[in-house]
């Protein structure tokens, strides 16, 4: 790496010249750095706003899942069968599914080798269990903090190899050639030196960028993403990277004081659902208004553990996802608050103060019986089955043995994102989106497949860079001249927002409006009119941002750039949602599309929940979106099939020996 100083329009820039910059320090970014180093590319660095700020470091669930090929027992499985499961969820390219399946065992065992404590039996078998949308027992877990363990062990690898980490740097521009054919670097704010104009901006001049920035967490008011996670998808879209399946996100019930998914045991111990008015009074067991019997209510709560993401297919016949709609109805439409109560059993389902376990269906009753948990209150059952789940909340100031747990239906994961090929390279050359920012997941993904995808994608990007992208970066003067207008535009934001305005608004005010709007029209309840209204608002805001926003101190500048990125992201995402509905798309994945001519899932629900399930018209299609300042261009392409190959060893061996495998097909 070389470090030098240049000036552009009188503004000094510190320039770091290197082969590959990795943006983000979550599990995917750290793995990319570790793999690149192992493959011989040492001219690399990680650029991050904060080493411990990402989603994979700060999120989890009751039993956070990692999805991989079956590695225990006598059950049949194969790479192709796993690929068929991944692609079978709809809107996923088959060749990417095949890669994710093929490398799942390699990436899993790499994590095992560096110390992630996945459980195995006496014989060394890494046993598994079934997760959602999984026909086999491919799932495994190291507990509620699986992804945190992954980042901790991967960070140890990075530090042991002395890979440079530039912490406290916020990327504010992805730099490209004038035709947006390939990436040439990044412009960043030095968050630790904002007060010093001579050190405020940094330019990373590099041959390759691995973009591991996570999902667009900052879009939502109701969110289970950690508050430290914002995302940077808009910067890549602005630079010409295509969006892929941006309509597909996951939503589910989560706690909001401490953001955490309430799946698995948190539901299977059958907590009591209550709502109150805004002040905490007028407590009601509101589920009783909608379920035909206590047993059906208990079954739906129990299944919410297995079927945590909202799914419109699981609403009818008093299914588990009806609960998500009822929570939304209470919190958003009625303006009340909803809590899970682990200190009492449901009054409706109890006799003489004891829960009627015989009201449960066979699945729930058998599960609790085998777990030895047919007794007591929800907190007693949770302590018996999963004490760490209680300790997790206690560590964050919430005692489930005495406190009600406030919840909402929250954004949790983006299945869509930036498009890329089977080496995780974007249409923007030398730009590799990996992890959640990569839109490879399709509509219905097995639980835990995102963790596998992040490890596979970052491994593939590293393999491709090490084999095919070793050229030196362009000379600094050439890059500065090539990107002069792009850098000047980003630097001009500071000048414009610091200029006094008669009626300027703060970035925090606009961000609050943005998040409330996305949750209302781009969350799990959607409509064509709402998406169009939201996209129009975002387009107006981002185009007038510098004229409207006013800040009084330089410490607010990072918030302005985050807001700009999120407005671009919101505009493109809501445009994609409107395009999906106009193309005939209905309720699927983890969202309900309002349809006045559809069916009402529950007769007592408001008319706004009337919808039609998607008929599968677009299941074998992938939506692609390109952003320009004159509008978005949406198109639909056929999902590529799973490649057919006879796998003849001699042929593959010869290709491999000749170096004809990596990069041969994109």
């Amino acid at each position: 790496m070389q470090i030098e100083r240049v000036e552009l329009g009188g503004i000094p820039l510190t320039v770091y010249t290197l082969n590959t910059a990795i943006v983000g320090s979550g599990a995917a970014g750290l793995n990319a750095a570790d793999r690149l180093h192992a493959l011989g590319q040492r001219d690399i660095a990680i650029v991050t706003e904060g080493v411990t700020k990402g989603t994979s470091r700060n999120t989890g669930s009751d039993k956070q899942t990692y999805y991989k090929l079956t590695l225990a027992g006598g059950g049949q499985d194969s790479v192709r069968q796993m690929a068929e499961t991944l692609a079978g969820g709809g809107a996923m390219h088959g060749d990417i599914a095949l890669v994710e399946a093929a490398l799942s065992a390699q990436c899993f065992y790499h994590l095992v080798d560096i110390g992630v404590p996945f459980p195995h039996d006496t014989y060394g078998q890494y046993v598994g269990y079934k997760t959602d949308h999984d026909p086999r027992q491919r799932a495994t877990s190291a507990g509620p903090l699986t992804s945190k363990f992954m980042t901790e062990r991967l960070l140890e690898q990075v530090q042991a190899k002395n890979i440079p980490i530039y912490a406290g740097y916020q990327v504010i521009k992805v730099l490209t050639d004038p035709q947006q054919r390939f990436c040439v670097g990044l412009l960043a704010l030095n968050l630790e030196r904002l007060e010093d104009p001579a050190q405020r901006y940094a330019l990373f001049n590099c041959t390759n960028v691995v973009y591991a920035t996570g999902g667009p967490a900052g879009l939502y008011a109701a969110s289970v993403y950690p508050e430290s996670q914002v995302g940077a998808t808009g910067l890549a879209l602005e630079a010409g990277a295509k969006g892929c399946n941006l309509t597909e996100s996951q939503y589910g019930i989560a706690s909001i004081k401490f953001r955490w998914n309430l799946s698995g045991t948190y539901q299977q111990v059958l907590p009591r659902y209550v709502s109150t008015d805004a002040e905490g009074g007028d407590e009601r067991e509101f589920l009783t208004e909608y379920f035909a019997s206590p047993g059906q209510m208990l079954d739906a709560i129990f299944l919410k553990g297995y079927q945590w993401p909202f799914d419109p297919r699981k609403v009818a016949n008093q299914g588990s996802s009806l609960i998500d709609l009822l929570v939304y109805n209470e919190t958003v439409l009625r303006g009340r608050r909803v809590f899970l109560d682990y200190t009492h059993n449901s009054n409706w389902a109890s006799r003489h103060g004891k829960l009627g376990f015989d009201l449960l269906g066979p699945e729930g009753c058998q599960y609790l019986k085998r777990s030895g948990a047919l007794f007591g209150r929800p907190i007693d059952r949770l302590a018996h089955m999963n004490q760490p789940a209680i300790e997790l909340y206690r560590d964050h100031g919430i005692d489930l043995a005495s406190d009600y747990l406030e919840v909402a239906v929250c954004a949790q994961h983006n299945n869509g994102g930036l498009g890329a090929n089977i080496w995780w390279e974007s249409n923007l050359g030398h730009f590799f989106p990996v992890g959640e920012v990569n839109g490879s997941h399709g509509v219905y993904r097995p639980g835990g497949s995102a963790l596998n995808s992040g490890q596979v994608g970052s491994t593939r990007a590293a393999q491709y860079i090490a084999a095919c992208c070793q050229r030196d970066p362009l000379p600094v003067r050439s890059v500065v001249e090539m990107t002069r207008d792009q850098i000047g535009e980003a630097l001009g934001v500071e000048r414009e927002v610091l200029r006094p305005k008669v009626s300027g608004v703060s970035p925090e005010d606009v961000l609050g409006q943005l998040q409330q709007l996305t949750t209302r029209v781009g969350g799990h309840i959607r409509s064509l009119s709402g998406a169009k209204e939201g996209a129009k608002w975002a387009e107006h805001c981002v185009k007038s941002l510098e004229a409207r926003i006013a800040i009084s101190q330089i410490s607010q500048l990072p918030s302005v750039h985050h807001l700009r990125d999120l407005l671009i992201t919101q505009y493109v995402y809501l445009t994609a949602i409107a395009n999906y509905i106009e193309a005939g798309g209905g309720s699927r994945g983890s969202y309900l599309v309002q349809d006045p001519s559809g069916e009402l899932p529950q007769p007592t629900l408001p008319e706004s929940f009337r919808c039609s399930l998607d008929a599968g018209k677009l299941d074998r299609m992938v939506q692609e979106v390109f952003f320009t300042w004159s509008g978005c261009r949406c198109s639909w392409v056929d999902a590529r099939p799973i490649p057919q190959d006879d796998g003849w060893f001699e042929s593959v061996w010869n290709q491999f020996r000749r170096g004809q495998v990596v990069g041969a097909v994109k």
Side-chain angles (χ1 to χ4, degrees):
M1 182 190 297
Q2 296 178 338
I3 304 174
E4 58 189 285
R5 303 273 291 169
V6 300
E7 279 197 6
L8 183 64
I11 298 177
L13 301 172
T14 304
V15 183
Y16 301 91
T17 298
L18 67 164
N19 177 267
T20 301
I22 299 126
V23 187
S25 53
L30 293 170
N31 186 62
D34 183 31
R35 296 291 192 163
L36 277 165
H37 189 280
L39 291 167
Q41 178 48 268
R42 309 296 165 81
D43 191 19
I44 62 177
I46 294 171
V47 182
T48 177
E49 292 181 38
V51 173
T52 61
K53 283 189 171 184
T55 297
S56 51
R57 182 75 174 209
N58 294 286
T59 60
S61 60
D62 146 81
K63 186 169 61 179
Q64 194 179 18
T65 299
Y66 191 102
Y67 191 69
K68 43 87 186 118
L69 197 70
T70 304
L71 298 173
Q76 292 186 349
D77 202 359
S78 70
V79 167
R80 186 170 189 86
Q81 288 173 325
M82 181 173 170
E84 288 170 349
T85 299
L86 294 171
M92 183 179 186
H93 290 301
D95 50 2
I96 291 176
L98 185 62
V99 173
E100 291 191 1
L103 270 69
S104 67
Q106 175 190 348
C107 290
F108 172 74
Y109 280 124
H110 175 248
L111 293 172
V112 170
D113 287 344
I114 64 175
V116 179
F118 290 110
H120 62 80
D121 67 10
T122 303
Y123 307 99
Q125 298 183 98
Y126 283 88
V127 295
Y129 55 88
K130 284 184 68 173
T131 183
D132 45 312
H133 312 305
D134 172 27
R136 290 174 172 78
Q137 293 182 322
R138 297 182 179 127
T140 187
S141 175
L145 304 176
T146 299
S147 63
K148 182 175 185 288
F149 294 154
M150 289 166 59
T151 60
E152 289 172 341
R153 300 292 83 77
L154 287 164
L155 180 60
E156 289 173 359
Q157 298 299 306
V158 167
Q159 292 172 332
K161 294 169 181 175
N162 294 315
I163 297 171
I165 300 176
Y166 287 88
Y169 284 79
Q170 177 184 334
V171 174
I172 60 173
K173 199 80 171 178
V174 174
L175 303 173
T176 73
D177 71 296
Q179 290 76 41
Q180 294 188 330
R181 295 169 300 171
F182 54 88
C183 179
V184 298
L186 306 159
L187 182 67
L189 283 173
N190 184 342
L191 301 178
E192 303 298 324
R193 304 296 295 274
L194 284 175
E195 300 295 336
D196 183 355
Q199 301 290 332
R200 188 173 295 154
Y201 293 98
L203 171 62
F204 291 87
N205 171 34
C206 46
T207 305
N208 310 292
V209 168
V210 177
Y211 207 61
T213 56
L219 282 180
Y220 303 93
S223 172
V224 76
Y225 287 99
E227 293 184 53
S228 58
Q229 166 72 13
V230 179
T233 306
L235 300 181
L237 294 167
E238 182 187 25
K242 71 181 176 185
C244 176
N245 284 334
L246 299 183
T247 56
E248 305 309 313
S249 289
Q250 286 185 189
Y251 308 88
I253 294 170
S255 55
I256 56 178
K257 183 178 177 182
F258 164 57
R259 296 182 174 190
W260 203 255
N261 294 337
L262 290 169
S263 58
T265 325
Y266 287 116
Q267 302 289 344
Q268 289 159 341
V269 298
L270 306 174
R272 190 171 71 110
Y273 276 74
V274 300
S275 74
T276 72
D277 59 27
E279 288 72 38
D282 189 30
E283 181 180 307
R284 302 177 190 167
E285 284 192 41
F286 65 98
L287 297 186
T288 64
E289 302 173 34
Y290 302 95
F291 283 91
S293 69
Q296 286 177 302
M297 178 190 72
L298 292 178
D299 284 342
I301 295 172
F302 175 82
L303 289 173
K304 190 81 265 185
Y306 288 132
Q307 303 167 354
W308 178 80
F310 172 72
D311 183 346
R313 302 175 305 178
K314 297 181 174 71
V315 173
N317 301 316
Q318 306 202 325
S320 63
S321 285
L322 175 59
I323 295 177
D324 302 77
L325 293 189
L326 299 180
V327 171
Y328 178 87
N329 186 50
E330 290 292 304
T331 56
V332 177
L333 301 186
R334 289 184 169 182
R336 291 170 63 81
R337 301 167 67 188
V338 171
F339 300 85
L340 296 191
D341 172 19
Y342 289 90
T343 66
H344 301 90
N345 290 313
S346 165
N347 293 324
W348 194 35
S350 296
R351 305 187 190 102
H352 309 295
K354 295 184 178 181
L355 191 69
F357 292 106
D358 58 327
L359 299 173
L360 272 170
E363 186 174 6
C365 190
Q366 182 67 11
Y367 180 92
L368 291 174
K369 182 177 181 180
R370 291 190 66 179
S371 301
L374 291 175
F375 68 93
R377 303 166 299 160
I379 188 64
D380 303 320
R381 297 188 285 274
L382 189 59
H384 173 73
M385 294 170 63
N386 193 349
Q387 180 63 29
I390 298 173
E391 294 168 358
L392 177 73
Y393 275 97
R394 188 176 294 140
D395 290 343
H396 290 85
I398 300 171
D399 186 356
L400 298 182
S402 58
D403 301 334
Y404 282 13
L405 187 63
E406 188 164 9
V407 305
V409 182
C410 297
Q412 182 259 349
H413 188 272
N414 189 191
N415 284 2
L418 303 175
N421 61 25
I422 63 169
W423 300 100
W424 270 250
E425 185 179 26
S426 166
N427 61 291
L428 185 65
H430 296 278
F431 186 78
F432 299 83
V434 302
E436 189 182 348
V437 77
N438 185 288
S440 66
H441 300 98
V443 182
Y444 294 102
R445 65 177 180 88
S449 62
L451 290 182
N452 174 64
S453 178
Q455 296 300 289
V456 170
S458 50
T459 298
R460 290 285 280 192
Q463 290 173 338
Y464 186 78
I465 290 169
C468 305
C469 304
Q470 289 294 313
R471 69 165 174 79
D472 292 332
L474 296 171
V476 172
R477 292 187 182 277
S478 298
V479 169
V480 170
E481 188 58 38
M482 179 186 295
T483 62
R484 176 177 296 272
D485 290 344
Q486 299 170 53
I487 295 174
E489 179 185 43
L491 299 181
V493 171
E494 173 189 329
R495 180 180 61 253
E496 291 298 320
V497 297
L498 278 168
R499 182 178 296 168
K501 298 178 178 68
V502 175
S503 59
V505 296
S506 73
E508 291 76 19
D509 287 342
V510 179
L511 177 61
Q513 296 173 46
L514 178 154
Q515 292 174 331
Q516 292 292 340
L517 180 62
T518 310
T519 291
R520 180 168 61 85
V521 304
H524 73 296
I525 307 295
R526 303 177 178 181
S527 70
L528 179 59
S529 60
K532 285 187 170 182
E533 166 206 334
K536 185 176 180 180
W537 181 87
E539 180 183 22
H540 169 74
C541 280
V542 73
K543 288 182 175 179
S544 62
L545 182 66
E546 293 161 29
R548 295 181 61 212
I549 294 292
I551 62 175
S552 58
Q553 48 194 7
I554 200 68
S555 61
Q556 295 175 281
L557 184 59
S559 297
V560 175
H561 283 287
H562 277 316
L563 176 61
R564 185 178 181 277
D565 165 79
L566 289 170
L567 283 167
I568 293 172
T569 306
Q570 183 188 48
Y571 170 55
V572 180
Y573 271 59
L574 294 180
T575 300
I577 290 172
N579 174 259
Y580 168 80
I581 298 173
E582 288 179 321
S587 300
R588 74 174 188 181
S590 193
Y591 54 86
L592 179 152
V593 177
Q594 295 172 338
D595 179 3
S597 61
E599 296 182 1
L600 200 58
Q602 174 78 17
T604 52
L605 282 173
E607 283 293 311
S608 58
F609 290 111
R610 195 173 289 277
C611 64
S612 298
L613 290 179
D614 184 65
K617 172 184 174 183
L618 301 173
D619 280 0
R620 305 316 306 164
M621 305 285 286
V622 172
Q623 186 199 52
E624 296 183 344
V625 187
F626 287 90
F627 167 82
T628 70
W629 285 105
S630 59
C632 292
R633 185 174 78 253
C634 300
S635 61
W636 293 84
V637 300
D638 291 332
R640 298 186 297 271
I642 299 173
Q644 298 283 350
D645 197 315
D646 62 7
W648 185 249
F649 180 82
E650 303 298 340
S651 299
V652 174
W653 187 26
N654 281 323
Q655 290 175 331
F656 183 81
R657 286 191 302 110
R658 294 168 185 160
Q660 297 172 339
V661 173
V662 178
V665 177
K666 293 186 178 183

